[in-house]
Amino acid sequence: MKVLVTGSAGFIGSKLAYRLAERGDEVVGLDNINDYYDVRLKIGRLAECGITRPADYFYDDEMVQSTLFPSYRFTRTDLTHREALEKLFAEENFDVVVNLAAQAGVRYSITNPYAYLDSNLVGFMNILECCRHNQVKYLVYASSSSVYGLNSKVPFSEDDMVDSPVSLYAASKKANELMAHAYSKLYSLPTTGLRFFTVYGPWGRPDMAPMLFAKAISNGEPIKVFNHGDLSRDFTFVDDIIKGTMQVIDNPPVAELCPNEVPWRVYNIGCSQPVKLMDFISEIENALGVEAKKEFLPMQQGDVYQTYADTTKLEKEMGYRPTTSLHEGIAQFIAWYKSDKNPLR
């Protein structure tokens, strides 16, 4: 199977590309390596997959061969560059596309809305069109738990209404689901959206709580605790997310088994065990052996009180079942954080 993984210098994308190449799939990774956060982390993730170059030596649209996997290549390409994307699809004849490239971050969308228009809407439109015109058999794409917005019913189910987003990021992910449905209906393109819940682990993003907390606590600096600590998140270890994503990749929707015979699905992919923010902080404190200095703050604009995934559908249809406990996951994350592999230490 030949797979394109966009966002392959990202947290989830880099690990997915590694696992797919490791099991023998032919993989092309794509990322624009932007500077939304420290590029050293993205270069380090690529190096883990055998894509070993300094940041300044990745040239636009050039194909780079992995030194670790003969079946893995990488290209620095931006999803908004339509002509370059069309050329790549025409040359490579992908069977499956996994679109994980997006402008991430809820709070960032408050101050930088146009970044989300370009990447999450224009970029996704380009992916859909390239799939349509190049006989791609299946598209898997990243949605988000943020689509549940002001929904107060828990746990969050795929059958819940998702018409009350509280950030532009959330609205862009809901739009992706609707765009995918239209293409599934119009062109019989099988699509599956994955509503990721809070993912953590080694090589995670530096703008997310685990990295922010670990850095601040290690340096003796106060951590920001929003809503005065009265928050809960469905923290999910990245290895469990990767296993679930690969199960989805291997099982495209069949039109005859889908509502209205449209080969379109969305799944929650989380842990189904929400953790109180203060308990999460305690696990990091224990793993580091340092007590955090805490700065308690009100709820941030665009945030939600809790996330809680109902993963029954994914468990029933794909056999998905996360196995990594919070204690074990935090231990692995902190071990990586303190190691020489962490380029931000």
Side-chain angles (χ1 to χ4, degrees), residues 179-196:
M179 293 162 73
H181 188 279
Y183 271 66
S184 293
K185 170 61 177 174
L186 290 170
Y187 309 113
S188 299
L189 170 66
T191 65
T192 298
L194 294 174
R195 293 175 176 172
F196 291 113

Side-chain angles (χ1 to χ4, degrees), residues 30-203:
L30 177 153
D31 203 289
N32 65 2
I33 319 180
N34 68 23
D35 60 358
Y36 166 62
Y37 57 78
D38 198 316
V39 170
R40 289 177 297 167
L41 201 57
K42 300 181 180 185
I43 298 302
R45 294 180 188 133
L46 289 171
E48 289 287 292
C49 296
I51 307 296
T52 52
R53 282 192 181 185
D56 293 341
Y57 288 86
F58 282 101
Y59 304 111
D60 286 351
D61 309 323
E62 178 192 14
M63 197 66 74
V64 181
Q65 175 65 51
S66 168
T67 59
L68 186 60
F69 299 112
S71 62
Y72 182 44
R73 293 171 295 144
F74 172 81
T75 177
R76 178 175 185 165
T77 301
D78 196 301
L79 293 189
T80 63
H81 296 168
R82 190 172 72 189
E83 292 78 9
L85 205 61
E86 289 172 344
K87 183 173 183 289
L88 177 70
F89 271 73
E91 290 176 349
E92 297 293 340
N93 297 309
F94 300 113
D95 297 307
V96 175
V97 173
V98 185
N99 184 49
L100 301 177
Q103 180 57 58
V106 169
R107 292 174 192 139
Y108 189 73
S109 70
I110 304 296
T111 54
N112 298 273
Y114 286 100
Y116 294 78
L117 173 66
D118 293 339
S119 180
N120 298 9
L121 297 179
V122 174
F124 191 65
M125 182 71 211
N126 290 340
I127 285 287
L128 287 169
E129 277 290 277
C130 285
C131 287
R132 168 196 171 192
H133 290 294
N134 291 277
Q135 293 74 55
V136 170
K137 299 180 181 70
Y138 184 25
L139 169 64
V140 179
Y141 61 95
S143 185
S144 169
S145 62
S146 67
V147 301
Y148 290 106
L150 294 174
N151 184 9
S152 59
K153 170 190 161 292
V154 292
F156 299 153
S157 166
E158 294 92 344
D159 296 326
D160 293 341
M161 294 293 290
V162 286
D163 295 330
S164 55
V166 295
S167 69
L168 183 63
Y169 171 70
S172 73
K173 289 300 186 178
K174 170 62 175 174
N176 286 171
E177 294 180 5
L178 296 174
M179 293 162 73
H181 188 279
Y183 271 66
S184 293
K185 170 61 177 174
L186 290 170
Y187 309 113
S188 299
L189 170 66
T191 65
T192 298
L194 294 174
R195 293 175 176 172
F196 291 113
F197 284 68
T198 311
V199 187
Y200 75 98
W203 293 100

